Amino acid sequence: MITIKSQREIELMREAGAIVAMTLDMLETEIKSGMTTKQLDQLAEEFIRDHQAVPSFLNYAPKGDPGVTPYPATLCVSINEEVVHGVPSAKRVIAEGDIVSVDVGAYKGGYHGDAARTFLLGTIDEKVQQLVDVTRECLDRGIAMAVAGNRLHDISAAIEDHARSFRFSVIENMVGHGIGSELHEDPPVPNYGRKGTGVVLREGMTLAIEPMIALGRSRRAVSKRGAWVAVTEDGKPSAHFEHTIVVRPAKAEVLTRSLLHAEEN
Ligand code: MF3
Ligand code: CO
């Protein structure tokens, strides 16, 4: 069931969303090669708790999947061929040339915010730089379609078309989602699909739109049994950007907008 949020609920989601955005801004400033992903995680957890919020992902257990243990951290830090759900570790050192996707959720006042950005460290291969730029543009184009009266898969098609025009691969088995009092609500928001299909978007729907795009040919992110991290099948790098948005009549409202990049998302 897709819920329409009230003004009051959206105000609370704005607060959770702002904490998520500020956390990513802080991490963007702090991230350096030589740090461990665990250090990033600790910075994020402390920051979120200092803002009277709770990390959304910590202890998250997917419904109906008893095979996997509850998520053990605040962040997902997914490096290079890791698509999503990289678990921070004191053994994983961030290196020059890495592409690092950082995903964070915060829960406050009964509501969640969820967003992700991909950071590039040091000198980066031109193709990887293009992958990251295009994935960010995919998110922008998806958000541009998230207006009342459009169909859900208008978002999906805008993302897919942009990625494919660069011959990048869309990860199909990981999707965006509705969000609110639960981290994952209806509807699933795929990053591929046919324009003009899917439910009609209505003002007050809140969605986490999150393109995951890869170099190479992999259309799936795969995990070893019992493990959280999901990687491309061919080992090629992937990028991930995510925002929590509210569907509005003319232009979606982005709840996790960066203050560092005030001119963009
Ligand atoms: N943004 C990701 C998602 O919506 C992060 C989830 S991590 C988890 O699926 F631990 F909560 F699963
Ligand atoms: Co999400």
Side-chain angles (χ1 to χ4, degrees), residues 3 51 53 106 128 171 186 188 206 236 246 255:
T3 59
H51 288 80
V128 174
I171 301 297
D186 283 337
T206 45
K236 296 274 171 65
V246 188
L255 300 180

Side-chain angles (χ1 to χ4, degrees), residues 57 85 103-105 113-116 175-179 183-184 207-210 212 240 242-244:
F57 305 164
H85 304 163
D103 192 345
V104 59
D114 184 7
V175 297
H177 48 94
I179 179 168
L183 176 63
H184 295 137
L207 304 175
I209 302 176
E210 48 180 319
M212 289 149 267
H240 180 206
E242 175 177 23
H243 270 312
T244 297

Side-chain angles (χ1 to χ4, degrees), residues 29-48:
T29 312
E30 295 295 327
I31 190 169
K32 266 146 208 113
S33 57
M35 284 174 88
T36 67
T37 54
K38 179 82 182 169
Q39 284 175 295
L40 279 186
D41 195 71
Q42 283 167 344
L43 286 173
E45 178 167 3
E46 197 176 294
F47 187 91
I48 289 169

Side-chain angles (χ1 to χ4, degrees), residues 18-80:
I19 294 169
V20 168
M22 290 188 293
T23 306
L24 285 169
D25 284 350
M26 179 275 294
L27 294 170
E28 186 164 343
T29 312
E30 295 295 327
I31 190 169
K32 266 146 208 113
S33 57
M35 284 174 88
T36 67
T37 54
K38 179 82 182 169
Q39 284 175 295
L40 279 186
D41 195 71
Q42 283 167 344
L43 286 173
E45 178 167 3
E46 197 176 294
F47 187 91
I48 289 169
R49 294 197 190 281
D50 280 350
H51 288 80
Q52 288 71 51
V54 173
S56 297
F57 305 164
L58 189 61
N59 299 319
Y60 178 86
K63 292 197 182 80
D65 189 354
V68 65
T69 50
Y71 194 75
T74 292
L75 298 179
C76 302
V77 185
S78 309
I79 302 179
N80 301 335

Side-chain angles (χ1 to χ4, degrees), residues 52-255:
Q52 288 71 51
V54 173
S56 297
F57 305 164
L58 189 61
N59 299 319
Y60 178 86
K63 292 197 182 80
D65 189 354
V68 65
T69 50
Y71 194 75
T74 292
L75 298 179
C76 302
V77 185
S78 309
I79 302 179
N80 301 335
E81 77 286 357
E82 298 172 352
V83 180
V84 285
H85 304 163
V87 178
S89 155
K91 289 187 216 137
R92 184 69 195 254
V93 180
I94 298 166
E96 285 284 300
D98 278 346
I99 99 169
V100 186
S101 302
V102 179
D103 192 345
V104 59
Y107 181 73
K108 184 171 181 177
Y111 291 85
H112 293 276
D114 184 7
R117 292 182 207 163
T118 297
F119 304 123
L120 296 171
L121 279 116
T123 330
I124 293 288
D125 181 84
E126 207 176 303
K127 200 73 193 157
V128 174
Q129 176 73 54
Q130 189 187 42
L131 171 72
V132 171
D133 293 342
V134 167
T135 306
R136 191 193 299 104
E137 291 160 12
C138 284
L139 176 58
D140 294 342
R141 284 168 183 243
I143 291 171
M145 299 309 284
V147 295
N150 276 0
R151 300 286 189 128
L152 180 66
H153 298 157
D154 294 344
I155 300 172
S156 314
I159 293 169
E160 178 178 19
D161 291 351
H162 192 58
R164 289 214 192 293
S165 72
F166 289 86
R167 304 187 141 270
F168 293 148
S169 185
V170 174
I171 301 297
E172 295 176 354
N173 65 326
M174 301 278 174
V175 297
H177 48 94
I179 179 168
S181 56
E182 303 284 338
L183 176 63
H184 295 137
E185 299 185 354
D186 283 337
V189 184
N191 295 307
Y192 64 96
R194 205 149 57 82
K195 202 173 157 53
T197 69
V199 296
V200 175
L201 300 175
R202 305 213 181 273
E203 176 159 29
M205 288 181 179
T206 45
L207 304 175
I209 302 176
E210 48 180 319
M212 289 149 267
I213 309 293
L215 296 183
R217 298 260 56 90
S218 179
R219 293 166 69 163
R220 293 170 49 78
V222 291
S223 304
K224 296 211 177 89
R225 194 157 56 92
W228 272 98
V229 68
V231 301
T232 54
E233 294 164 301
D234 55 11
K236 296 274 171 65
S238 81
H240 180 206
F241 284 86
E242 175 177 23
H243 270 312
T244 297
I245 64 100
V246 188
V247 174
R248 295 294 192 196
K251 191 171 184 289
E253 177 184 346
V254 178
L255 300 180

